Amino acid sequence: MFVCTTAFAQHGVKGKIVDAGTGESLVGVNVTVKNESSVGTISDLDGNYSLVVSKTATLVFSYIGYISQEIPVGEKNMINVSLVEDSKTLSEVVVIGYGTMKKSDLTGSVVKADLNVMKDSPNTSIMQSLHGTVAGLQIGQTNSAGEDPSIGVRGQTTINGSTSPLIILDGIIYGGRISDINPSDIESIDILKDASSKAVYGAKAANGVLMITSKKGKRAQKPKISYSGSWAFSNPTVDYRPLNREEWMQKVRDIEYESAYTKESGYLVPNPDWDFSKSQLNVQQLDGIENGTDFNWWDEAMQTGHLFTNMVNINGGSEHVSYFLSGSWTNQRGVVKNDKYKRTTFRANIDVQATSWLKVGTNTFFSVLDYSGESPNMNALIRMPAVVTPKDADGEWITNPNGTLTMNPFLEYMVENSDKRHQINTTVYGLVSIPWIKGLTYRLNYNYTLDAKNLYNYSRYEASQQGEASKQHDNSSVWLLDNIVNYTNSFGKHAINATFVYGASRQAYDNTLAKGQQYTSTVTGYNDLGQAIIQTIRSSAYKESNLYQMLRTSYNYDSKYLLTATLRRDGFSGFAENHKFGLFPSVGLGWVLSREAFLSEAEFMDNLKLRASFGVTGNQTSRYSSLAKVELNAGSKYVFGDGASTSIGSTVMRMSNKDLKWETTAEYNVGIDFSFFKERLTGSIDFYRATTKNLLWDVIIPTMTGFSSVRSNVGKLQNTGLEIVLGGTPVKTKDFQWNVRLNFSTNKNKVVSLLGQDTDGDGKEDDLVASGLFIGESLGTIYDYEVEGIWQLADKENGTIMKGFYPGTYKIKDQNGDGEITAGEDRVILGHKEPAYMMGISNDFSYKGFELRFFINTIQGGKNGYRSKIAKPDYIGKSIGNAENLSWLTAYDYWSPRNPNAKFATAWLSPTVDTNRMQNRSFVRLQDVSLSYNFDQRWTKKLGVSNLRLFISGQNLLTFTGWDGWDPEAGIGFTTDSYPVMRTYAFGIDLTF
């Protein structure tokens, strides 16, 4: 009777599950009966499901990234469900190294980058899109096509070691360029900043860790095809240019002012008896002046830059398989002609649930890069005055148009050049869920990376215009194997997660260069080096390996009290035999105050957590640096036997150090995370201090040993900083929302000790002045002469000008008042290169389908920080006919009798002691602005499109600064070989089918 009654109470339920926002069918939604885990199903490709259950049952609809719903069955036979996306859930999970963790359970300083902040910015690298948006993450400016930006995390913790953060791509250490990765393939980037979080990577983690995760497909989802395309054009952010004809001729008069102007007028009235033929100009320059030549070398070398990108991806899956396939093509052209970059990428991320306990998959991508083409030589171009031209009357290139040793800058532009690079990066894995132990898994990762570079070059103007060709092949390969055991379980209010890793990696590199000079035929170019009269070849190779083990344990009691402890052991082949391995421990504690009873009535408080951590990370030396180095030396020759020919011998070039060991950084971090008013106000504050000891340094030793230096461990360096992140939603209505986010960071480093020597007996440790290192000062200390003006004509006339100086040269302050300028007595600390603080502010406005974003970035140096030298043009000598005669930029405000209050000194007079003026690089920049429109899906579905979005954007639109030069952030002043930073405008489209 009981069985019959039960059967009678059950009936069928069916329905359709869709996204509440888009109305699109959701595939693979879990439909289960509450408290009955054995009963359930998943939605099919159209979002439909059906199930036979009891009328008293409650159905639970759950899907990753959506808020779960519970619906009682009762008498209903049809239950349709609209699931609401849970953005909070998506942002709570962060990648922490060999696994993931809820943000609420973290004890360390880990931040998930907001990839939406500048997603419409025209960048070739995802890191450029994060520029200034993450506290403690420093991303440098770029000014050439395909360039990888510099990356730093929390300042500098080393003097001679690597300063780059460790890159982890899909759980695997990645040694390639981030710019080689298609930005649209990236799902998330998490930055591990403190020792507690980054200690899992021990040896290479002293400079922070970037966890990059690529996109994955979804099981039981019908295929989705997405396309994103954009076009951008760019020009320099500033309008500096070399002097034109009239400006250059005026510069010549200023150089020759003692004869070009009358002395009686104070060299202000032109001398009627002087003309350019009486100057030091050479024949080419004089002819150009007489012929009225006014050639614009700058315009000839420059162009409007562009960036064109196309990205397509397909993702989906069946019940047991998920896939994400993508391809992209990028074509970038810089503002300097022939500064080109092309990138083609392919990716396949595939996961297969082979059995209930085994999952296998692969993450593989392939990139093809093309940097072919040589740009005009900027160093030579800036030296060409407007009165000479690059071609003669017959249209042939002139080798030395300025009549000097400087070659025509466009000869490099005319070479045959092929620079192509390929990278394949593949990871295969297997994940086993141990059936008889709940929560225990084993994962095996194998990664292989191959980088190949082929650089071919031919120029008929090299080798004294007899032609030179070369072919260079570089190959770098890395294999890595990780064994990862993880155990996760909970017991009442107790939760534990333990991870053990045992792994190894090896890197190999080889290089071959073949070169030929003096060709009788230019037909074959670099394709037949055998035609060269002079042929040379050289090659090199190396190998290095790492071995590592790691154990991490996380404990959680009632989601209130958190503990994470890690121990990593690293070995590297480059260290001495007795110090190849290093231990790197860490511990982190967390206390979630908002879950305590005494704060339970604070309804405005969503979350309040305190964190504290301490740990040790490492920085490894370069390969072979602990070993003696022996090289073939043409200067060491031997004769073996009477009458034998001379043989080249070998020389010991470097001293070994059997005690060379790991550079280690010990760091503590205290922080607080908070969220108030239903997440209308969120933020975090972190304070940290890191101390690095056993610094890797080439110590100078007496030359009587036969060597000049030896790689050693010395000194101590301290790094301190504060980071503040605030986010808020000031306005939120049905149709309009305003989100604002601010990040602020400050960092200071200090040299605590160096060699420990006190040679002058003053009780203080010696500074390393020649290396620019000072006890108690930062690594970026600027030690130089102090400029207090420019010597004037009146100083020469009244005899007050210091010996060895001339009118128009910098007036250097005599610090000790002895009447002369000396390096030992008159140089002082003028400031520091490091900034006082960095700050970024982003604002997002959304109204119905419109979204407006703008981001302001600023770096401030304070009184004496963020300073750099503004180098004047190279000394050209007063006898300009025999010198290079630089054609200076219009921005260079140089001294002359008619311009006595100039910013900068002359460049034609060389005083006994010379220096450069210092400037503050502080700036405020409107870095990114974008406006987009998402079309209503009720309209796009009629076109067979599930999503359609158009956008326009601008980058580096406005910069407010007192810096003279190309760009304050890049530190580029008037250097002759640099490219300007670009201002860019873009528009694009996003489509999903």
Side-chain angles (χ1 to χ4, degrees), residues 859-878:
I859 299 180
Q860 298 294 320
K863 183 179 180 181
N864 293 313
Y866 207 45
R867 307 191 78 192
S868 188
K869 296 178 181 179
I870 287 284
K872 61 184 180 182
D874 295 345
Y875 167 64
I876 62 172
K878 192 171 182 180

Side-chain angles (χ1 to χ4, degrees), residues 194-207 550 566-570 582-588 613-619 662-669 689-694:
D194 76 317
S196 174
S197 57
K198 63 190 181 183
V200 292
Y201 293 106
K204 300 181 179 181
N207 303 304
M550 189 278 295
T566 304
L567 179 64
R568 171 125 176 176
R569 179 176 181 263
D570 267 288
L583 289 176
F584 306 98
S586 75
V587 62
S613 65
F614 174 82
V616 179
T617 52
N619 208 337
W662 294 86
E663 178 179 292
T664 58
T665 300
E667 178 184 359
Y668 70 79
N669 186 102
R689 174 164 292 171
T691 302
T692 305
K693 62 180 182 179
N694 296 324

